[in-house]
Amino acid sequence: MNPWHAHPVPATRVEALYGDRIVRCFVYRPAGLLPMFERARAARGSHEAIVHEDRRWSYAEAGAEADRLAAGFAARGIGAGDRVLMLLSNRPEFLFVLLALQRLGAIAVPVGIREARPGLAFIAGQCGAIGIVFDDALVDRVPLPDEAPALALRLAASDLAALARAGVPAPRAAERLETDTAVILYTSGTTGMPKGAELSHSNLMMNAIASVAMTHLNSHDVSLVALPLFHSFGQSVQMNAVAASGGSMVLLPRFESEAAMKAM
């Protein structure tokens, strides 16, 4: 059975996207996560993008926060191709940091918040991360300097406000190919060491566009996001799909039935 039979299929065409690899692609697609968000920001700047607890951010406000963080990261030496671990729960800073790193052409490495310190040290070493941004409550999970000496930049979520107030101009978006790596997602390592999967900008866009089509999301929809954002499903089917549709997302730190019912 054609899985698209009940859904409006966006226009596609066959392309040699990865050199000699021929794949069917959506014709109309942003070049990456940042261009996709910027499109929503330009078209729906005053529209509500994120709701978290008792705070709300419009697309314009979320984009401005990401711009300020990008400037702060750049001032701290983060640039194109650098890997930065994100040990962050479902909170607005996850999106702000992710977009800031995309602006710099850096590669985000979201990691499960249940990952233990030895696993984080292994991941940091394997992917060559030079920085980590983490929830304050998870500071004990952050590898010690002798366990991950390359992690020169270590920022708690509570440090991000000061970083965003650095006062330097937001850098221009780095030029990246859509086939370049955008994020690296790691397996849990249940039966061995964690394994990293590199996702390109086009990977993220194809998944986001497909998710919008399959779920019929539109700019008037509000999505409850309780799946972990460090996971591919939480990112592609929820966070990125909402941004692609220009809709709104309500972030829950974790799924709890009572909290979910109240949020709805």
Side-chain angles (χ1 to χ4, degrees):
M1 180 181 291
N2 179 3
W4 292 94
H5 74 285
H7 305 278
V9 182
T12 63
R13 66 186 174 202
V14 173
E15 297 182 24
L17 191 60
Y18 295 91
D20 60 351
R21 183 181 173 193
I22 308 299
V23 294
R24 182 164 290 279
C25 305
F26 293 116
V27 176
Y28 304 106
R29 61 184 186 270
L33 179 60
L34 182 64
M36 180 181 72
F37 182 86
E38 290 296 325
R39 183 176 65 181
R41 181 183 181 182
R44 299 177 61 76
S46 61
H47 187 72
E48 203 164 76
I50 303 172
V51 178
H52 180 255
E53 297 177 344
D54 60 348
R55 292 199 60 189
R56 298 166 184 266
W57 289 262
S58 67
Y59 275 95
E61 290 167 338
E65 187 66 19
D67 290 347
R68 288 190 288 267
L69 285 177
F73 281 130
R76 298 291 296 273
I78 301 297
D82 289 333
R83 275 81 164 165
V84 178
L85 301 186
M86 294 173 55
L87 186 64
L88 295 170
S89 56
N90 282 22
R91 54 191 301 164
E93 289 84 358
F94 188 102
L95 179 60
F96 303 157
V97 170
L98 180 61
L99 290 173
L101 295 176
Q102 296 297 304
R103 176 168 289 280
L104 298 175
I107 298 173
V109 188
V111 184
I113 59 174
R114 294 184 179 180
E115 185 65 66
R117 203 170 77 198
L120 283 171
F122 171 80
I123 290 171
Q126 190 193 55
C127 74
I130 66 169
I132 181 170
V133 183
F134 55 91
D135 281 358
D136 290 69
L138 301 178
V139 62
D140 291 341
R141 307 272 188 91
V142 177
L144 300 175
D146 63 334
E147 296 172 326
L151 288 180
L153 179 64
R154 296 162 178 261
L155 290 172
S158 60
D159 297 326
L160 293 175
L163 186 74
R165 291 195 298 267
V168 295
R172 293 184 59 185
E175 293 187 7
R176 303 284 282 173
L177 300 175
E178 64 173 331
T179 51
D180 288 339
T181 299
V183 301
I184 300 176
L185 300 182
Y186 273 81
T187 64
S188 62
T190 305
T191 58
M193 300 305 293
K195 301 173 181 65
E198 296 184 51
L199 298 183
S200 68
H201 296 279
S202 63
N203 289 148
L204 297 180
M205 292 307 95
M206 301 298 181
N207 283 336
I209 295 169
S211 297
V212 170
M214 293 287 284
T215 57
H216 299 276
L217 276 177
N218 63 58
S219 59
H220 302 292
D221 287 329
V222 179
S223 297
L224 183 65
V225 179
L227 293 172
L229 294 179
F230 59 76
H231 191 274
S232 60
F233 203 91
Q235 281 189 51
S236 295
V237 180
Q238 293 208 286
M239 182 181 70
N240 294 348
V242 170
S245 69
S248 307
M249 69 183 84
V250 178
L251 286 177
L252 291 183
R254 67 189 65 82
F255 180 79
E256 294 176 348
S257 56
E258 183 176 354
M261 291 301 293
K262 288 180 179 179
M264 295 171 65

